[in-house]
C-alpha cells in the first residue's frame, strides 16, 4: 500500500508529479480557453467580485498566501489571507461582492467550517478548494474546485499542498479570463508552464538522495531557520511547519527582508538556515535575497540554498546548494517546497519518529 516506501508521506511526496498533472486535466477547451466546469459560480458572479478573502489553516493557509500573490498579479483584485481560526473574531468586512475562498484538504476542519458559516451569514459567496468529495466544507459552500491529489494519509500535508496551489493558479487565471484583465494574454503561456511542472517536480525528486544526506547530517540541530521572499516566503513558512510537526525541531520561517528588523539576532555559529532563492528576474528580488543570505552567513549561519540551475551568483554564499529547475517566481513554490518536504521527512526518520502520525496531531482537526 505504501508502494515500497517506508512512510505514506514519502509515497505521497513522490506522487506529486502525478497529482499536479491530474489537477490540470480537462481544464482547457479545444479552443484553448480555460474552463472550471465543476465550479458552479457563473462568470457574471465572478465579474462582480471586488474583494477576495482566503481562509484556511496550517499548510492550506500557506497555499492561500501563494494564491494572494498570483490572484492579485493576474486579476488585480485585492486579496486578504486570514487564518480561519481568527477570521470571525475580528468582525471582517464582507458583503455580496466579497468572494470567500476556503482552502481545506480534508474539508472537515472545524475552524474553516465555522468561518465559512459566518461568511455566508453575512451574504458572501464561498468557494471551497478541497480534496475530499462530499465533505462538509464543499457541501456548505456555494461553489467548489476539487483538487485531485487522491487520498492523503500522512498527517503532514504534501501532495495536498501542491494540488491546492494548482487550483489557486487555475482560479486566478480563470478570473483573469473572465474579467478580461491585461494579463489575459499570459493565460496560455502560464498554462503551458503549469503543464511542464510535473516534469520539473520529477527532476527535483531525482535529487532526493542528496537532500536525505543533508537531512541526516542535521540530526543534532536544535533550531533551523527558513528564509524566502515573495512566493518563496510561504514556502519558507511551510518548510518550517514540516520540520516542526515531523522532527519536533524548533523551526521558523521568515520573509528575508524582515531579518534586519529582529530575527537576525537569532543567528549564531552553525545555525542552519534554508534559503529559497527567487529566480533571477528583472526586479531586485533575487539580488536582495542574495544579500540577505550573505548577511546571515557573515554571522556564522550554515546556509543551505535552493536556487535555480545556472544561478552562479549564490555559489560563494551557499554552504550547501540544492538546484531547482528554472521556473517563473509565481510558480516556484511547486518545485521549491519539494526538497523541504524531503528534508523534514528524512530528518524525522533519522530521529526515529513516526512520520505518518506525529505526536499530538490529527489528520483532520474537527474541533475548534
Ligand atoms: O484539511 P485542511 O487542509 O483544512 O487542514 C489544515 C491543517 O490542519 C493542515 O494543513 C495541517 O497544518 C497539516 N498537518 C500540515 O501538514
Amino acid at each position: 500500500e505504501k508502494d515500497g516506501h517506508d512512510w505514506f508521506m514519502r509515497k505521497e511526496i513522490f506522487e506529486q508529479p502525478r497529482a499536479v498533472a491530474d489537477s490540470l486535466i480537462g481544464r482547457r477547451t479545444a479552443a484553448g480557453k480555460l474552463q472550471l466546469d465543476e465550479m458552479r459560480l457563473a462568470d457574471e458572479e465572478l465579474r462582480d467580485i471586488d474583494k477576495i478573502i482566503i481562509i484556511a489553516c496550517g499548510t492550506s493557509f500557506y497555499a492561500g498566501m501563494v494564491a494572494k500573490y498570483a490572484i492579485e498579479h493576474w486579476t488585480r483584485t485585492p486579496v486578504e489571507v486570514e487564518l480561519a481560526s481568527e477570521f470571525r473574531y475580528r468582525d471582517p468586512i464582507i458583503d455580496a461582492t466579497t468572494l470567500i475562498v476556503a482552502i481545506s484538504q480534508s474539508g472537515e476542519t472545524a475552524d474553516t467550517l465555522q468561518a465559512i458559516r459566518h461568511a455566508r451569514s453575512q451574504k458572501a459567496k464561498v468557494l471551497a478548494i478541497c480534496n475530499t468529495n462530499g465533505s462538509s466544507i464543499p457541501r456548505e459552500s456555494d461553489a467548489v474546485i476539487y483538487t485531485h491529489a487522491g487520498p492523503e494519509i500522512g498527517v503532514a500535508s504534501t501532495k495536498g499542498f501542491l494540488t491546492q496551489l494548482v487550483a489557486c493558479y487555475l482560479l486566478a487565471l480563470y478570473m483573469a479570463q473572465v474579467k478580461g484583465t491585461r494579463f489575459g494574454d499570459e493565460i496560455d503561456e502560464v498554462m503551458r508552464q503549469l503543464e511542464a511542472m510535473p516534469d520539473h517536480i520529477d527532476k527535483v525528486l531525482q535529487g532526493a538522495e542528496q537532500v536525505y544526506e543533508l537531512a541526516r547530517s542535521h540530526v543534532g540541530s536544535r533550531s533551523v531557520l527558513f528564509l524566502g521572499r515573495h512566493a518563496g516566503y510561504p514556502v519558507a513558512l511551510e518548510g518550517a511547519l514540516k520540520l516542526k510537526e515531523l522532527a519536533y525541531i524548533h523551526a521558523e520561517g521568515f520573509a528575508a527582508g524582515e531579518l534586519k528588523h529582529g530575527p537576525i539576532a537569532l543567528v549564531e555559529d552553525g545555525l542552519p538556515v534554508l534559503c529559497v532563492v527567487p529566480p533571477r528576474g528583472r526586479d531586485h528580488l533575487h539580488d536582495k535575497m542574495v544579500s540577505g543570505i550573505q548577511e546571515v552567513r557573515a554571522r556564522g549561519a550554515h546556509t543551505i540554498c535552493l536556487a535555480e540551475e545556472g544561478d552562479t551568483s549564490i555559489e560563494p554564499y551557499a554552504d550547501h546548494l540544492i538546484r531547482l529547475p528554472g521556473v517563473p517566481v509565481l510558480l516556484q513554490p511547486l518545485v521549491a517546497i519539494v526538497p523541504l518536504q524531503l528534508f523534514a521527512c528524512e530528518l524525522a526518520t533519522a530521529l526515529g519518529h513516526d512520520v505518518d502520525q506525529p505526536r499530538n496531531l490529527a489528520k483532520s482537526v474537527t474541533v475548534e
Side-chain angles (χ1 to χ4, degrees), residues 22 43 54 66 70 84 101 104 106-107 128 138 165 167 176 206 229 249 272 286 296 298 319 338 363:
D22 285 356
D43 288 356
I54 301 177
V66 176
V101 178
S104 175
S106 64
L165 291 175
Q206 284 166 26
R229 287 191 81 121
I249 291 176
H286 169 273
V296 291
D319 294 307
V338 177
K363 181 63 184 161

Side-chain angles (χ1 to χ4, degrees), residues 9 55-62 103-113 129-132 137 152 154-158 160-161 164 238 241-242 245-246 358 361-365:
M9 181 191 180
I55 46 181
C57 306
T59 293
S60 302
F61 175 77
Y62 299 141
I103 308 178
S104 175
Q105 187 284 128
S106 64
E108 298 296 349
T109 300
D111 287 317
T112 312
L113 191 56
I129 292 180
C130 185
N131 194 44
T132 316
I137 290 171
E152 194 181 58
V155 163
S157 185
T158 52
F161 179 63
Q164 286 167 345
E238 168 64 1
L241 178 63
K242 291 281 94 85
E245 63 180 344
L246 301 174
L361 294 175
K363 181 63 184 161
S364 50
V365 185

